[in-house]
Amino acid sequence: MKKIHRIVFLLVVLAAVFAIQLTAQESASRVVEDGGTGEYKAIMISEPSLATHTVFRPQDLSVFGKKSKLPVVAWGNGACANSPWEHINFLNEVASHGFLVIAIGPMPAEGERGGGRSQSSQLTDAIDWAIAQNSDKNSPYYKKVDVENIAVSGMSCGGLQTLEMAPDPRVTTVVVCNSGVYQLRAEVCRECRLWKKKT
């Protein structure tokens, strides 16, 4: 009789653990605005290998590979916030057009306004991660990332972080949105005008 009780107890514990794991997996991603209006319905996801950032990417990665790859956008938030909560709709929309967008800050819960201050180096962390994932045979992004087309972008203070990271030789595009320039060698960037690095 005691053996049966132990087995039942063990099954109950295993079922509870399984339920917790399922809940954790479900909370690790979310569809924003029906996945965006682009050709590829997007998803917002917290990747365990980069929990310090939020990833926006097409839901179906099977369409990417040899012929079509995901250009990378590393994103810095307004106010140098360590959360993309103000920009999730915009970043989700960009991803729905076939981009891998990696925003500074952990994925915010529904209705959550994340806090804390970010560092410019987190944009470099995003780029490093994307390149590593492209080379990792165990990653869902394996050979699906366009490592030759990497952008850094950001809003306001995130735009300044973008300019700071722009000299990275892996960066091919810089987009600064609603920001200013403080004693930097750059063309003036306002209202999301594209800034091109001078070579």
Side-chain angles (χ1 to χ4, degrees), residues 109-121:
E110 187 81 47
E112 177 189 18
R113 295 187 175 195
R117 189 163 178 85
S118 63
Q119 302 294 323
S120 302
S121 61

Side-chain angles (χ1 to χ4, degrees), residues 95-150:
S96 77
H97 292 274
F99 288 84
L100 175 61
V101 182
I102 308 163
I104 291 175
M107 188 177 95
E110 187 81 47
E112 177 189 18
R113 295 187 175 195
R117 189 163 178 85
S118 63
Q119 302 294 323
S120 302
S121 61
Q122 288 174 273
L123 293 172
T124 302
D125 295 340
I127 295 169
D128 291 343
W129 178 83
I131 292 172
Q133 292 298 302
N134 188 60
S135 302
D136 183 355
K137 291 181 180 179
N138 296 316
S139 170
Y141 303 98
Y142 179 57
K143 291 189 176 179
K144 297 178 187 295
V145 180
D146 188 350
V147 296
E148 300 299 319
N149 286 291
I150 297 175

Side-chain angles (χ1 to χ4, degrees), residues 47-119:
E47 293 286 5
S49 55
L50 192 70
T52 54
H53 292 63
T54 303
V55 174
F56 300 82
R57 51 104 162 150
Q59 295 177 32
D60 182 9
L61 293 177
S62 67
V63 298
F64 298 95
K66 289 182 181 178
K67 293 184 179 179
S68 179
K69 295 192 175 188
L70 296 159
V72 177
V73 179
W75 175 264
N77 308 299
C80 290
N82 195 43
S83 172
W85 72 272
E86 284 188 297
H87 311 289
I88 60 173
N89 294 355
F90 167 67
L91 300 176
N92 178 75
E93 180 63 24
V94 171
S96 77
H97 292 274
F99 288 84
L100 175 61
V101 182
I102 308 163
I104 291 175
M107 188 177 95
E110 187 81 47
E112 177 189 18
R113 295 187 175 195
R117 189 163 178 85
S118 63
Q119 302 294 323

